Amino acid sequence: MSADGDVTTTPVALQDAMRQVATEIDRHFDLLLEVPDDARGRLYDAMRHAAIGGGKRLRPLLVCAACDLFHVDRQAALRVALAIECIHVYSLVHDDMPCMDDDDLRRGKPTVHKAYDEATAVLAGDSLQSLAFEILADEATHPDPFVRIELVAELARAAGPAGMAGGQMMDLAAETQAFDLPTVTRLQQLKTGALIGFCLEAGAIMGHVPPEGRGRLRGYARDIGLAFQIADDLLDVEGDAAAIGKAVGKDAAAGKATFVSLLGRERAHQQADMLVGQAIAHLSSYGAEADLLRVIAGYIIERDR
Amino acid sequence: MSADGDVTTTPVALQDAMRQVATEIDRHFDLLLEVPDDARGRLYDAMRHAAIGGGKRLRPLLVCAACDLFHVDRQAALRVALAIECIHVYSLVHDDMPCMDDDDLRRGKPTVHKAYDEATAVLAGDSLQSLAFEILADEATHPDPFVRIELVAELARAAGPAGMAGGQMMDLAAETQAFDLPTVTRLQQLKTGALIGFCLEAGAIMGHVPPEGRGRLRGYARDIGLAFQIADDLLDVEGDAAAIGKAVGKDAAAGKATFVSLLGRERAHQQADMLVGQAIAHLSSYGAEADLLRVIAGYIIERDR
C-alpha cells in the first residue's frame, strides 16, 4: 500500500472514508443549494450540476483526515471541506470553458457550459467562490471567530492570484512558452498545491496548532500535491478517457511541458513514488491518527482516475 | 442639490470627497497588485488594467460616507472600500465578456478580454473576488476578528447567488422573458442593490451598530440602489457613449424590460426623484455627519455617466 510499514488502515478503510465524505458533501450541497422559485433557478441548477454527485472529493477527504489528527469536531471539518470543494468545483467550471481548456466532459457528465451555457458557467463558478467564503464565515462552521477568519484568510490566499488562479495563468502560458522543470514545479505548486496545502492547514488551524508547528503538515501537503500532479500527467498519457471521466492526451496535443514530458514516464513514476514516501515520512511523529493521511498518500499515485 | 434643506455639504465638497477616495483606492490597488516577475505577470497586469484608474468609485465613497457616521478609522474604511471595489470590478470584467454582455469598452478603456484575452479575463475576475476576501480577513483591515468575520459573511452573501450573481442570472433571463415591474425591481435589488447595501452595512458593522439598529441605513441603501439603477436605465436611452465610457442603447436593442421601458422616461425620472427624497429622509436622525450620504443620494440621479 505505501512506503511506511506502520500503516494499519486498509484500502477498505480508505474506500469507506472516501464514500462517507462523498456522501456527506453531497448531502450538504443538496441542503445548501436549494433552488429558488424565480429566474435565479437556472443558476442554482447549474451549481448543483457542477457540485453534486461526482469527483473523488480528495480535498474534503484531506481536510477530514487532517482534522482527525487534532480531534476536530466532525461537523466543523465537513463545513470546511465543503468550502474547499466549492473553490475546487468553481475552478473546474471556469477551467472547462471554451476560452480556457475547452472541455465537454467532467466527472463523466457534460461540463456546465455544455449542459447550460457559457454565461451560466461564469456565474455558477463565481457563485461557488462566494459561497465558499460564506460557509467559512458562518458561525455554524466554528464557534471561534479567530479560527473562522484565519480559515478565510488562508483560503483566499490559496485560491487567489498568488495561489491557484496564478497557477492557472502560468498553465495558460505553458501552451506557448517552453517551461523547464523548476518552472513546471512552481506552476503545479500554485495550481493544485496551494489548495491541497490549505486542506492540511485547515486541520492545523482548527486544531489550534500555531503556524510554526505546521511545518511537517506543510511538507506532507507539498509532497502529495506534486505526486498528485505527476500522477495526473501520467494519467493524461496512460489513462482511458472513459474511466477518468474527462478527456486525455490534451497536454501532449498542446505541446505543453509536463512532468512526464520533462522527466519521461519511468522517472516520473519514480519521482511520484519518492514523493509519497517522503510525504509519509513527514507524519512519523504521529500515531494511528495519521493512518488515513498515510493511505491517502499512497492512493494518490495508484488511482486510475 | 437635494430634497433636504439641511444639506450643507456642497457639490464641491462631494467632488473633493470623490477625488480623495478615488486617489486612495488607486494607491491601494497599486501597492496591492505588485506584478510578479514570472508567468503570473499577465494576470496581475490584467487585474491592474481593470482595477486602477477608472470609475466613479461610488461604492468605496459610500463605505467611507457610512463610516463617517460612526467615526470609523479612515484606514479601516478604505480597506473595506477596496474589498467592495474588488468585487464590483470583478463583476464588470466577467459581465463584459462575449458570453455575457459582450462589451468592448469600459471606463473609456478596452475591456479586459479585449486588452488581454478571455481566459485572462476569467482569471482576473476570479482573482479579484479572492482578493476581496483576503483584504477583509487581514488584521490590517480591522483589529477585531468579530468585525472582520461579519464583513466577510455579509460581503459573501451580497456577492453570491442570493445577491449580485443571482441578479446577474435574472438579468440574463430578462433578455428572453418579459419581466414585470416587481420582477425588474427584485432583479435590480439583487444585481446592484445587494452590493450597495453592503457598503452601508459595512459602516454599521465597523461602527458596532447591532443588526436591529441598521434599518434606516438599509432603507437609504435600498432607495439609492433603485434610484441608481433607474438613472442607469435613463442614461442607456438618453446618454452619450463617449461621455459614459461604455456602450449605450443596449437594453432597448436587446428588448429587455427596464425601469424606463416599463415606466416611460417621465415617470422613471419622477420615481428616481422620489426615491432620492425618501433615501435622504431615512437619514433625518443624523446631523452634519450624514451630509456626504445626502449629497451622494442627489448625485446618483444627476450624474451624466
Side-chain angles (χ1 to χ4, degrees):
Chain A
M1 185 71 218
S2 76
D4 188 308
D6 291 321
V7 174
T8 54
T9 311
T10 64
V12 175
L14 174 63
Q15 281 170 26
D16 281 352
M18 290 185 86
R19 198 159 27 225
Q20 209 180 336
V21 166
T23 304
E24 288 283 0
I25 291 291
D26 273 354
R27 193 177 66 82
H28 272 85
F29 272 130
D30 184 45
L31 292 170
L32 207 62
L33 296 173
E34 207 187 320
V35 182
D37 189 22
D38 61 29
R40 290 172 303 164
R42 186 177 172 84
L43 175 61
Y44 281 80
D45 283 336
M47 292 168 77
R48 294 177 69 90
H49 177 92
I52 297 177
K56 299 174 295 290
R57 308 298 194 190
L58 177 65
R59 288 155 196 81
L61 181 70
L62 280 169
V63 172
C64 291
C67 284
D68 281 355
L69 294 182
F70 310 108
H71 312 287
V72 173
D73 174 73
R74 178 75 175 181
Q75 279 315 304
L78 280 168
R79 296 265 311 177
V80 174
L82 197 66
I84 183 84
E85 193 67 4
C86 283
I87 294 288
H88 177 57
V89 172
Y90 117 63
S91 79
L92 298 180
V93 172
H94 283 183
D95 209 42
D96 286 337
M97 288 183 62
C99 65
M100 305 267 290
D101 271 6
D102 194 13
D103 279 310
D104 296 348
L105 201 63
R106 167 69 69 181
R107 294 174 168 178
K109 294 190 294 191
T111 47
V112 175
H113 68 273
K114 279 284 168 189
Y116 296 83
D117 55 73
E118 286 184 46
T120 304
V122 170
L123 291 176
D126 291 344
S127 296
L128 284 162
Q129 178 166 198
S130 305
L131 191 58
F133 294 106
E134 193 180 337
I135 292 167
L136 289 186
D138 195 306
E139 246 179 343
T141 297
H142 199 283
D144 184 347
F146 279 96
V147 165
R148 299 207 301 279
I149 203 69
E150 194 178 350
L151 290 168
V152 169
E154 287 295 328
L155 184 58
R157 234 189 315 270
M164 181 184 75
Q168 288 176 296
M169 189 75 234
M170 290 182 77
D171 201 33
L172 289 170
E175 286 175 17
T176 52
Q177 291 170 44
F179 283 169
D180 57 10
L181 191 59
T183 309
V184 169
T185 303
R186 172 87 181 125
L187 183 169
Q188 298 300 351
Q189 275 171 341
L190 295 172
K191 192 182 161 208
T192 58
L195 275 203
I196 288 177
F198 172 81
C199 297
L200 280 295
E201 199 89 18
I205 291 169
M206 287 190 281
H208 300 287
V209 180
E212 59 275 16
R214 300 176 196 165
R216 282 174 305 210
L217 286 181
R218 287 183 184 146
Y220 169 89
R222 195 179 50 239
D223 292 336
I224 65 160
L226 283 178
F228 178 85
Q229 194 54 50
I230 295 174
D232 219 51
D233 289 351
L234 283 163
L235 279 174
D236 192 59
V237 295
E238 298 175 351
D240 170 49
I244 300 173
K246 63 179 181 181
V248 296
K250 296 200 58 159
D251 290 337
K256 225 160 88 171
T258 69
F259 287 115
V260 176
S261 76
L262 291 165
L263 294 170
R265 280 165 57 175
E266 197 187 348
R267 276 186 62 211
H269 276 290
Q270 287 167 358
Q271 181 75 5
D273 286 341
M274 186 278 286
L275 285 163
V276 168
Q278 196 170 289
I280 292 170
H282 282 299
L283 303 172
S284 61
S285 64
Y286 295 101
E289 72 274 18
D291 278 350
L292 186 52
L293 287 176
R294 293 187 183 102
V295 289
I296 292 170
Y299 162 75
I300 267 176
I301 57 165
E302 284 168 21
R303 69 202 163 93
D304 57 2
R305 61 192 179 87
Chain B
M1 184 75 219
S2 77
D4 189 306
D6 291 321
V7 174
T8 54
T9 311
T10 64
V12 174
L14 175 63
Q15 279 170 26
D16 281 353
M18 291 185 85
R19 198 160 28 224
Q20 209 180 338
V21 167
T23 304
E24 288 282 0
I25 292 292
D26 273 355
R27 194 177 65 83
H28 273 85
F29 271 131
D30 183 46
L31 291 170
L32 207 63
L33 297 173
E34 206 187 321
V35 182
D37 188 22
D38 60 30
R40 290 171 303 164
R42 185 177 172 85
L43 175 60
Y44 281 81
D45 284 335
M47 292 168 77
R48 294 177 69 89
H49 177 90
I52 297 177
K56 300 175 293 292
R57 308 298 193 190
L58 177 66
R59 289 156 194 81
L61 182 69
L62 280 168
V63 172
C64 290
C67 284
D68 281 355
L69 294 182
F70 310 109
H71 312 288
V72 173
D73 174 73
R74 178 77 175 180
Q75 278 314 302
L78 280 169
R79 297 263 314 174
V80 174
L82 196 66
I84 183 82
E85 192 67 4
C86 283
I87 294 288
H88 176 59
V89 172
Y90 117 63
S91 78
L92 299 180
V93 172
H94 283 183
D95 209 41
D96 286 337
M97 287 183 61
C99 65
M100 305 267 290
D101 272 4
D102 194 14
D103 279 310
D104 297 350
L105 200 62
R106 167 69 68 183
R107 294 175 169 179
K109 294 190 294 188
T111 46
V112 174
H113 68 274
K114 278 286 169 186
Y116 296 84
D117 54 73
E118 285 184 46
T120 304
V122 169
L123 291 175
D126 290 344
S127 296
L128 283 162
Q129 178 166 197
S130 304
L131 191 58
F133 295 106
E134 193 180 337
I135 292 167
L136 288 186
D138 195 306
E139 246 179 342
T141 297
H142 200 282
D144 184 347
F146 280 96
V147 166
R148 300 205 301 279
I149 203 70
E150 194 178 350
L151 290 169
V152 169
E154 288 296 328
L155 184 58
R157 235 189 314 270
M164 180 185 76
Q168 288 176 295
M169 188 77 234
M170 289 182 78
D171 200 34
L172 289 170
E175 287 176 16
T176 52
Q177 291 171 43
F179 283 168
D180 57 9
L181 192 59
T183 309
V184 168
T185 304
R186 173 88 181 123
L187 183 170
Q188 298 300 352
Q189 274 170 341
L190 294 172
K191 191 181 163 210
T192 58
L195 276 202
I196 288 176
F198 172 80
C199 298
L200 281 293
E201 199 88 19
I205 291 169
M206 287 190 281
H208 300 287
V209 181
E212 59 275 17
R214 300 175 195 165
R216 281 173 305 207
L217 286 181
R218 286 182 184 145
Y220 169 89
R222 195 179 51 239
D223 293 335
I224 65 160
L226 283 178
F228 178 85
Q229 193 54 50
I230 295 173
D232 219 51
D233 289 351
L234 283 164
L235 279 173
D236 193 59
V237 293
E238 297 175 351
D240 170 49
I244 301 174
K246 62 179 182 182
V248 296
K250 295 200 60 158
D251 289 338
K256 227 159 111 166
T258 68
F259 287 115
V260 176
S261 76
L262 290 166
L263 294 171
R265 279 164 58 175
E266 196 186 350
R267 278 187 59 211
H269 276 291
Q270 286 166 358
Q271 181 74 4
D273 286 342
M274 188 277 287
L275 285 164
V276 168
Q278 196 170 290
I280 292 170
H282 283 299
L283 303 173
S284 60
S285 64
Y286 294 102
E289 71 275 18
D291 277 350
L292 186 53
L293 286 176
R294 294 188 184 102
V295 289
I296 292 170
Y299 162 75
I300 268 176
I301 56 165
E302 284 167 21
R303 70 202 163 93
D304 57 2
R305 61 192 180 91

